[in-house]
């Protein structure tokens, strides 16, 4: 059906959403939710970390969100309530801990792109922190999810740093998936925990040693 | 001067504070403030950690206080304000990081006692966490200050655990200073950073290796 303005011009919606496209999108989301049970990447990492902690395989925790607390109320007979606080910029990555004597340090990042990971998803302070960790012989990486493809990778700091330097020289602002497939370590998904990343991390550590 | 009640009994204050005692206390506090510049133990550790980070000697951070955020307001043109949040019980110790390939994990504790450290200052979840860290070959300890004596020690988890087990068997609820002097590692204070604890930690790590 063609819709016309009063002046006779054909109306074209700016962001055309046809019924078919919308349905396709919904079905895709449904599929997606089913296969990973609607979990965020953070949920999936929490699940793996809880699994490792309970089985005494590793001690890795997510750091709390840093907040600047300004005002706290102490209502009688109940818990203290924070009434004014502000989010602060973290100076580290979100996850760290210890595994078999190794210091483990990483951040979780995801992209909906099917072909490359945009470097703008990583902040400068995170690169700086991972560099310092690497200098102290810690194991630093990004746990990366290509959410549309449902593929997960451990991308070592060294790989990110090379791409970051290239970007700063004016070269491309993303890492192609093909490069990640070659230089990073893919985490196969399983039932529980969905992303058993320590299994794959072993390969990365062995390549460093 | 003797103060008498109307009934003739001599008045004795319950918590007698004579002018002399009060003045002595103030002078002592003044001395104390002068020698450590009025800093809390947390400030002193922050100072050391900043020193290590800037000189690329170690990457050790204090974890943010964990809070459960319930309500956030987004005033236009200004930063998001947290309007309702609650303190959560941490499941780990406060400090962790990496030094020369070693995973470092500790909490800071102080006592005003001159003769022993009360074990009630340490929480069960902290003991559990330090045990898990030790099992993963991390370096876990308490950085302990005897604030009245101005003495600092690195007390290895192993020493704490022995005392903790004894307490659970109904034995003493504190660790005598004499035992700490023998089994822990004293941190000599210096000008900057005031507590250069990594220097002493080296001895502890060498004793483990």
């Amino acid at each position: 059906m063609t819709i016309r303005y009063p002046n006779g011009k054909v109306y074209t919606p700016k962001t055309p959403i046809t019924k078919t496209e919308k349905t396709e999108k919904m079905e895709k989301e449904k599929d997606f939710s089913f296969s990973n049970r609607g979990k965020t990447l953070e949920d999936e990492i929490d699940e793996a970390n809880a699994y490792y902690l309970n089985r005494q395989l590793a001690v890795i925790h997510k750091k709390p969100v840093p907040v600047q607390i300004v005002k706290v109320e102490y209502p009688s007979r109940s818990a203290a309530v924070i009434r004014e606080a502000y989010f602060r910029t973290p100076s580290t990555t979100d996850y760290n801990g210890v595994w078999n004597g190794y210091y483990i340090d990483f951040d979780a990042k995801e992209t909906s792109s099917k072909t490359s990971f945009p470097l703008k998803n990583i902040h400068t302070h995170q690169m700086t922190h991972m560099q310092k960790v690497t200098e102290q012989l810690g194991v630093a990486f990004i746990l990366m999810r290509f959410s549309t493809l449902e593929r997960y990778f451990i991308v070592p700091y060294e790989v990110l740093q090379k791409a970051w330097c290239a970007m700063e020289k004016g070269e491309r602002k993303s890492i192609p998936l093909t490069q990640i497939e070659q230089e990073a370590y893919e985490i196969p998904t399983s039932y529980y925990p969905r992303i058993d990343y320590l299994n794959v991390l072993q390969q990365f550590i062995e390549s460093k040693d």
Side-chain angles (χ1 to χ4, degrees), chain A:
Chain A
M1 191 182 88
T2 308
I3 300 169
R4 287 184 187 274
Y5 284 104
N7 64 8
K9 279 191 180 172
V10 177
Y11 163 75
T12 317
K14 275 174 191 167
T15 47
I17 300 176
T18 63
K19 223 179 203 171
T20 321
E21 273 175 353
K22 205 177 172 183
T23 316
E24 268 174 14
K25 192 164 171 259
M26 279 169 70
E27 275 167 0
K28 202 167 133 196
E29 276 170 2
K30 207 176 158 191
D31 270 356
F32 186 75
S33 304
F34 178 74
S35 55
N36 77 354
R37 289 158 291 165
K39 283 188 173 163
T40 64
L41 178 54
E42 194 183 309
D43 289 340
E44 291 172 335
I45 295 170
D46 285 350
E47 180 192 75
N49 289 345
Y51 176 90
Y52 298 144
L53 195 67
N54 291 337
R55 278 159 191 76
Q56 299 174 16
L57 296 172
V59 184
I60 298 166
H61 288 274
K62 186 177 191 298
K63 291 193 177 183
V65 176
V67 297
Q68 176 77 45
I69 297 166
V70 176
K71 197 172 139 197
V72 183
E73 281 174 12
Y74 301 90
S76 59
R77 282 185 248 192
S78 47
V81 190
I82 298 162
R83 283 293 179 205
E84 187 184 349
Y86 299 89
F87 293 102
R88 293 167 61 188
T89 309
S91 48
T92 66
T93 50
D94 279 354
Y95 300 87
N96 78 352
V98 61
W99 174 50
N100 195 24
Y102 294 104
Y103 173 78
I104 308 298
D105 194 297
F106 65 99
D107 229 337
K109 300 284 175 191
E110 59 189 316
T111 179
S112 58
S113 162
K114 292 176 185 177
T115 53
S116 68
F117 177 81
L119 287 166
K120 71 172 190 305
N121 289 7
I122 305 177
H123 304 291
T124 308
H125 77 262
Q126 292 165 338
M127 288 299 288
T128 307
H129 175 72
M130 286 191 287
Q131 187 194 336
K132 285 173 184 283
V133 165
T134 304
E135 283 164 4
Q136 290 299 323
L137 310 177
V139 180
F141 59 93
I142 294 285
L143 203 162
M144 199 180 280
R145 173 160 92 169
F146 282 80
S147 50
T148 312
L149 304 173
E150 283 209 58
R151 290 178 71 182
Y152 300 79
F153 295 90
I154 284 180
V155 186
Y157 167 70
E158 292 80 354
V159 174
L160 299 164
Q161 198 231 358
K162 209 173 60 177
W164 192 271
C165 285
M167 178 182 67
E168 287 185 333
K169 282 183 199 149
E171 295 172 33
R172 64 178 296 164
K173 291 174 183 170
S174 63
I175 314 178
L177 175 59
T178 49
Q179 189 187 336
I180 290 170
E181 285 172 330
Q182 280 167 28
E183 300 181 9
Y185 299 86
E186 185 155 8
I187 308 167
T189 55
S190 52
Y191 180 66
Y192 178 75
R194 184 167 161 79
I195 44 167
D196 187 1
Y197 65 90
L198 284 187
N199 229 333
V200 179
L201 198 59
Q202 182 73 54
Q203 298 169 33
F204 168 36
I205 289 173
E206 279 168 9
S207 78
K208 279 169 93 88
D209 286 347

